[in-house]
Amino acid sequence: MTRIEQAASLPSKKKKQQKTSRPAGLPVAIRHWVIGGTCALMTGLPAMAQAQPQVQAQQVFDVGAGDLKAALDAYIAQGGVQLLYKVDDVKGMVTRGVKGALPPQEALSRILEGTPLLTRRGDDGAIVIYTAAPVVAKPTTDEPQSLDSVTVTATRRREPVREVPMQVNVMKAETLERAGAKNLADYVAEQPGVNMTSSGSVGGILTMRGLTTGPVQGIATVGVYVDDVATGLSSSGALAGFTPLDMGMLDLNHIEVLRGPQGTLYGAGAMSGVLKYVTNQPDTMEFAGSVKFGTSWTQGGGPGFTTGAVLNVPLKEDVAAVRFAAFTDQLGGSYDASGPARGRNIDRGHTDGGRVSVLLTPTRELTVRLTGTVQDVKRQGLGFEDIDRRTLRPWGLDRTRQLSSREPYTNKTQLFGLDVEYDFGWARLNSITSAQDVKITNSVDLTALYAPALAALRLSAASAPLASAVEQHRVSQEFRLTSRSGTTIEWLAGIYLNRERGANDGTLSANLNGGLGSKTFLASTQSSRYREEAFYGDVTWNATPALSFTGGMRLARNNQRYASKQSGTLVGPVDANASGTSSESPTTYLAAAKYTLSETSNVYFRAASGYRPGGPNVLKADTDRRIVQPMYKSDSLWSYELGYKADLLDRKLSLEAALYDIEWRDVQQPTRSGGFVFVTNAGGARVKGGELTLNWKPSKEWRFTANAALIDARLTEDAKGLDAKAGTRLPQTPRFATTLGVTRNFSIAEHPAYFGVSARYTGKRDAGYAGSSTIPSIKMPAYTLVDLQAGIDFQRFSLSAYVRNLTNKRGFLSIDTGLTANPNLVQAALAPSRTVGLAVNVPF
């Protein structure tokens, strides 16, 4: 028996279900339905059950936007309408709500607008909500002309993206797959204002809205989540600022990009925004799955292969299901090496991943979701090119480095989450438990940097590799209580507990010529511990049907402990051992106002603060206390944003625009004392910018998209640790970036097909700071990349093809300095060369 929902308040005693005949075409017998609501006015029930009246009397409705189930409950209570629906059909859906004096049927139509749900009349006069029979391959001509309604969880509630008073961009997994996207750098490539500097392999420094200090950034400014599970480390230990979760296409539904500080709901390290991987949930009703195969070829590189599979298994109808997903991606590589460690396609490797998700709904109020994700990344080497900083031309051959030793890289990630949700009716309680374990090993060839110094000591080195091993462990627990949507006062309150542990061990050695063996010059062990407790919440007052105000706050406290042990020739005859502790209690705030201009448009103002945690400096015996303090504190910012969102032209055009002003204070930056680098707070910065997103679907066949970001990010005070003056632009961020795209849908022999073209423009950037000797200025020129996508659906399988970087443009993603003794020889990460891919998807 399919479990259903009684939408109105009924006595707890069991009641007999009303029987109605089944209309043709419905896939499930009507005995699987029960009454989803009761009549509010018993004397009016006979009149409602009759079909003769052609004109319904108007009633006053005030049903707020948000969760569809809650909206249907409110509609029943306000309209006295007998309503039937199945829980699984409305779960996770949202509505824009309805307000005003309307006939009940028209009010219900507006509530269901943008959803795939339909209505009909039962024999007893009740209104039945149902879904149309699924169609495996729908002809293109049957596709809706209006834009899809997009639901996000940015504010920890399910709501339409247009109703969220902040800039939220949604990248659907299907769209990313069509474009050949396989990693985090590919995902954000078409998001202007979101930048990813390359690490030569997976990961890198992820930033939004220009909030970065460049390669010295120790703590992340963007929080990364998988559903509601936080990932990464909040402190500067264990390379936390350089290792955001770079998840492959592992059963993703979509990715949400939340721009601007999210400190109130998402806490530390989300001062410039949040990126959320949203995965597919198990389906308790349908056994289904798919198998995907793909191959790709990169100009000048080796071939790549991708295989993936998804399997959804209902265990008990409407009660339990399990979902399996797995993939492997073989990367052919495209960079070469010359010298003693010469080789072709040295950055080749593979990424393997698996995911299991279990969903249990033993009662209509209780939902339990358990997930486990594993991912294993291996690369033979790093992807960099030696270039001349004066000309930006290759030092030798294209995409080639001089290497004296190999640079293998591995990254093993395990992530587990348990989300227990209980719906009290008046509020929803979530308990979210997570555990993360990351192990990274890497070797970097520093022969070009240290060989001259060794030669001065009359030592001839064949190679000087730096081997490192990084471990990141995180366990967190969150309790969150969320009120029902659609009420005058909506609120949310939560408790967050976090425990982190990190380790970063490295060894710099030299392999000497002449049979002298290997000599260790530096052995370093660093450990860190971080613990945080936080209380947070927000309240929204829907003052009128058009005007709402939101206020929020997060009170946090963290304690940290660092320890460092260093020994070897570079340290001296005495080992450098030190430790440090710190604690602080940062507070973040949120204030927002939203005004509804019409049923499909609104304006908002948002003021929010954010921060990155401070931490202890591990002081040495000879550290100058006048320069370095035992603890550096949080840097923080305030962001002020004015935005406009609208669905125009009968929902054929979607528009989002925002202007913002960010003030960044006490910027964390490096400082030196006694030959070691520490962290201090100094200087400030200001970022002013604007963003625009357009989606236009003038017909069923055509779709146009446009995204643009304009950013002016500058220091407002001198930054001594960066050797930069006030007025200097912050690095890595282009002043202007934009993405334009067009997709044409059509049919070939009655099979749906599509063809798309997109162009990505990235403006000029600086790898460092003008006039700085610490992080020298290297101007990176603007570039434009053109991509193509095409595909066709044959019902039983579909084919898709893509071309990335069609014109094989040479574009700089990032430039690193200081890795060689030659100041004119630097290393650059380039945009991938022209890549052609083909994939087949077989659903079942």
Side-chain angles (χ1 to χ4, degrees):
M1 178 72 72
T2 300
R3 186 173 53 83
I4 50 77
E5 172 73 1
Q6 288 186 298
S9 298
L10 290 175
S12 59
K13 296 180 180 179
K14 296 183 179 179
K15 299 199 179 268
K16 294 183 178 180
Q17 298 182 13
Q18 297 182 5
K19 296 183 179 180
T20 57
S21 61
R22 173 187 174 188
L26 284 178
V28 182
I30 198 64
R31 63 186 179 84
H32 287 274
W33 301 84
V34 298
I35 297 176
T38 58
C39 179
L41 301 174
M42 295 301 295
T43 56
L45 182 58
M48 294 179 61
Q50 296 177 357
Q52 288 87 349
Q54 300 297 317
V55 180
Q56 290 181 303
Q58 291 188 343
Q59 295 179 241
V60 177
F61 291 93
D62 186 1
V63 177
D67 182 68
L68 179 58
K69 177 181 175 300
L72 292 176
D73 292 348
Y75 168 79
I76 294 169
Q78 296 174 21
V81 178
Q82 192 175 12
L83 200 63
L84 295 164
Y85 66 87
K86 192 162 66 171
V87 175
D88 212 54
D89 288 345
V90 303
K91 182 180 294 185
M93 292 188 182
V94 296
T95 176
R96 297 171 181 161
V98 63
K99 292 180 174 63
L102 298 166
Q105 186 62 47
E106 182 178 345
L108 181 59
S109 297
R110 295 193 183 187
I111 292 174
L112 299 179
E113 183 180 357
T115 73
L117 301 175
L118 304 175
T119 63
R120 65 173 180 81
R121 282 281 184 181
D123 292 344
D124 60 354
I127 299 175
V128 178
I129 298 176
Y130 67 99
T131 59
V135 180
V136 176
K138 186 168 52 178
T140 305
T141 54
D142 289 344
E143 299 223 355
Q145 182 170 331
S146 60
L147 293 167
D148 298 331
S149 178
V150 180
T151 303
V152 297
T153 57
T155 60
R156 302 295 181 95
R157 296 176 181 272
R158 302 183 187 98
E159 54 189 335
V161 65
R162 186 176 55 78
E163 301 297 330
V164 181
M166 73 174 84
Q167 286 295 294
V168 181
N169 299 114
V170 178
M171 298 173 283
K172 294 184 177 180
E174 180 184 6
T175 302
L176 294 172
E177 287 184 311
R178 284 182 174 185
K182 297 181 179 181
N183 54 43
L184 183 55
D186 294 337
Y187 304 155
V188 302
E190 295 193 2
Q191 293 293 315
V194 182
N195 297 297
M196 182 81 174
T197 62
S198 176
S199 67
S201 183
V202 300
I205 300 177
L206 180 63
T207 62
M208 295 183 189
R209 291 185 170 177
L211 286 163
T212 179
T213 53
V216 295
Q217 178 175 300
I219 303 177
T221 63
V222 176
V224 179
Y225 279 68
V226 178
D227 299 317
D228 271 345
V229 174
T231 69
L233 298 185
S234 304
S235 67
S236 62
L239 302 181
F242 301 85
T243 55
L245 178 62
D246 196 338
M247 196 163 94
M249 295 296 293
L250 191 54
D251 202 22
L252 291 180
N253 183 277
H254 66 272
I255 298 175
E256 298 176 11
V257 177
L258 286 58
R259 300 175 186 247
Q262 308 294 329
T264 303
L265 292 181
Y266 294 94
M271 65 187 298
S272 70
V274 166
L275 184 142
K276 296 182 69 173
Y277 297 104
V278 181
T279 62
N280 289 308
Q281 291 198 30
D283 186 347
T284 61
M285 303 299 294
E286 181 181 9
F287 179 90
S290 65
V291 179
K292 300 177 183 179
F293 305 95
T295 184
S296 63
W297 173 82
T298 301
Q299 183 161 328
F305 305 94
T306 301
T307 303
V310 176
L311 179 64
N312 186 89
V313 181
L315 302 178
K316 187 175 182 180
E317 188 177 276
D318 209 22
V319 175
V322 61
R323 190 176 181 94
F324 304 93
F327 83 102
T328 181
D329 180 28
Q330 296 286 141
L331 180 69
S334 60
Y335 287 86
D336 300 333
S338 60
R342 68 177 60 89
R344 289 274 297 166
N345 304 325
I346 59 172
D347 57 323
R348 66 186 182 276
H350 64 86
T351 301
D352 303 324
R355 182 177 178 85
V356 178
S357 182
V358 179
L359 180 67
L360 302 174
T361 56
T363 70
R364 69 178 188 179
E365 298 87 6
L366 179 63
T367 302
V368 179
R369 187 184 182 194
L370 175 65
T371 59
T373 303
V374 295
Q375 182 170 280
D376 185 9
V377 178
K378 290 185 178 180
R379 298 289 184 268
Q380 299 296 318
L382 305 180
F384 289 109
E385 177 188 88
D386 286 340
I387 67 170
D388 189 329
R389 62 171 296 181
R390 297 163 297 187
T391 63
L392 300 185
R393 299 305 304 163
W395 191 266
L397 300 176
D398 285 349
R399 296 181 182 267
T400 302
R401 290 179 60 202
Q402 173 79 18
L403 281 182
S404 297
S405 63
R406 300 289 185 184
E407 297 181 322
Y409 174 93
T410 67
N411 183 317
K412 297 182 179 180
T413 300
Q414 296 180 345
L415 181 64
F416 302 95
L418 174 63
D419 187 349
V420 180
E421 178 180 304
Y422 192 87
D423 191 347
F424 293 100
W426 54 272
R428 184 179 71 248
L429 175 65
N430 286 86
S431 170
I432 303 167
T433 308
S434 68
Q436 180 188 23
D437 184 89
V438 179
K439 295 182 179 180
I440 303 171
T441 62
N442 187 206
S443 181
V444 179
D445 180 23
L446 297 181
T447 309
L449 180 62
Y450 285 100
L454 294 173
L457 299 175
R458 298 183 179 180
L459 294 174
S460 176
S463 62
L466 172 63
S468 64
V470 174
E471 294 189 7
Q472 302 174 350
H473 306 276
R474 176 180 187 141
V475 177
S476 64
Q477 175 64 54
E478 182 174 5
F479 297 99
R480 184 173 67 244
L481 191 63
T482 308
S483 71
R484 287 181 56 179
S485 301
T487 58
T488 302
I489 301 294
E490 300 175 3
W491 51 266
L492 178 152
I495 301 173
Y496 180 72
L497 307 173
N498 185 26
R499 301 292 183 267
E500 299 175 3
R501 184 164 45 87
N504 187 0
D505 300 337
T507 302
L508 175 62
S509 58
N511 298 310
L512 303 177
N513 291 317
L516 298 179
S518 178
K519 182 176 179 60
T520 298
F521 287 89
L522 175 66
S524 174
T525 300
Q526 298 179 352
S527 62
S528 63
R529 289 185 178 272
Y530 177 95
R531 58 182 297 167
E532 176 188 358
E533 298 83 32
F535 301 89
Y536 66 91
D538 63 37
V539 177
T540 298
W541 174 37
N542 298 304
T544 71
L547 181 63
S548 65
F549 300 94
T550 299
M553 178 184 295
R554 188 184 188 99
L555 305 174
R557 180 169 182 80
N558 67 69
N559 295 273
Q560 300 183 56
R561 184 169 74 250
Y562 280 20
S564 172
K565 297 180 180 180
Q566 295 175 327
S567 61
T569 306
L570 296 181
V571 176
V574 180
D575 293 352
N577 299 333
S579 61
T581 61
S582 70
S583 64
E584 60 179 351
S585 301
T587 303
T588 50
Y589 303 92
L590 167 69
K594 183 179 70 173
Y595 184 74
T596 301
L597 301 173
S598 68
E599 290 185 355
T600 59
S601 66
N602 61 68
V603 294
Y604 68 87
F605 174 77
R606 184 176 189 265
S609 65
Y611 76 98
R612 291 184 299 174
N617 277 310
V618 184
L619 303 182
K620 313 297 182 181
D622 60 347
T623 301
D624 190 341
R625 267 58 172 182
R626 295 171 299 179
I627 299 176
V628 183
Q629 299 299 316
M631 172 187 168
Y632 60 94
K633 61 181 181 180
S634 300
D635 57 356
S636 60
L637 57 79
W638 269 97
S639 172
Y640 307 94
E641 180 178 332
L642 180 64
Y644 170 74
K645 296 185 177 186
D647 292 333
L648 307 173
L649 304 179
D650 195 23
R651 296 189 69 247
K652 297 177 184 177
L653 174 66
S654 171
L655 183 152
E656 294 187 28
L659 298 172
Y660 59 85
D661 188 346
I662 301 174
E663 297 180 5
W664 191 2
R665 303 186 304 273
D666 299 322
V667 178
Q668 295 175 3
Q669 56 191 270
T671 186
R672 290 182 176 271
S673 177
F676 293 93
V677 178
F678 303 92
V679 181
T680 187
N681 299 93
R686 186 176 185 184
V687 183
K688 296 181 289 184
E691 295 161 344
L692 177 66
T693 300
L694 289 172
N695 283 278
W696 182 36
K697 195 172 185 179
S699 66
K700 301 173 184 177
E701 294 79 21
W702 291 95
R703 181 165 187 160
F704 299 87
T705 60
N707 300 307
L710 181 65
I711 300 176
D712 183 19
R714 299 179 182 272
L715 292 172
T716 56
E717 303 175 28
D718 292 350
K720 185 177 180 181
L722 305 172
D723 191 22
K725 302 294 183 182
T728 305
R729 286 185 58 84
L730 296 179
Q732 304 293 348
T733 302
R735 185 177 181 85
F736 179 72
T738 186
T739 299
L740 303 175
V742 56
T743 301
R744 174 73 161 87
N745 294 303
F746 54 95
S747 295
I748 299 178
E750 298 185 354
H751 295 295
Y754 67 89
F755 177 80
V757 182
S758 63
R760 296 175 274 149
Y761 171 81
T762 301
K764 297 178 181 179
R765 295 140 296 140
D766 200 323
Y769 296 87
S772 173
S773 59
T774 303
I775 308 176
S777 171
I778 304 178
K779 299 294 180 61
M780 295 184 287
Y783 64 88
T784 301
L785 305 182
V786 178
D787 302 333
L788 304 179
Q789 307 94 36
I792 185 170
D793 192 339
F794 292 99
Q795 290 191 350
R796 294 188 177 183
F797 69 94
S798 62
L799 292 175
S800 61
Y802 61 87
V803 181
R804 296 179 69 86
N805 195 1
L806 174 67
T807 60
N808 203 31
K809 184 71 175 181
R810 180 180 170 86
F812 289 96
L813 301 180
S814 59
I815 296 178
D816 287 340
T817 62
L819 297 182
T820 68
N822 186 344
N824 292 320
L825 176 59
V826 295
Q827 295 176 351
L830 305 176
S833 301
R834 181 190 297 116
T835 301
V836 179
L838 178 67
V840 57
N841 181 30
V842 182
F844 58 86

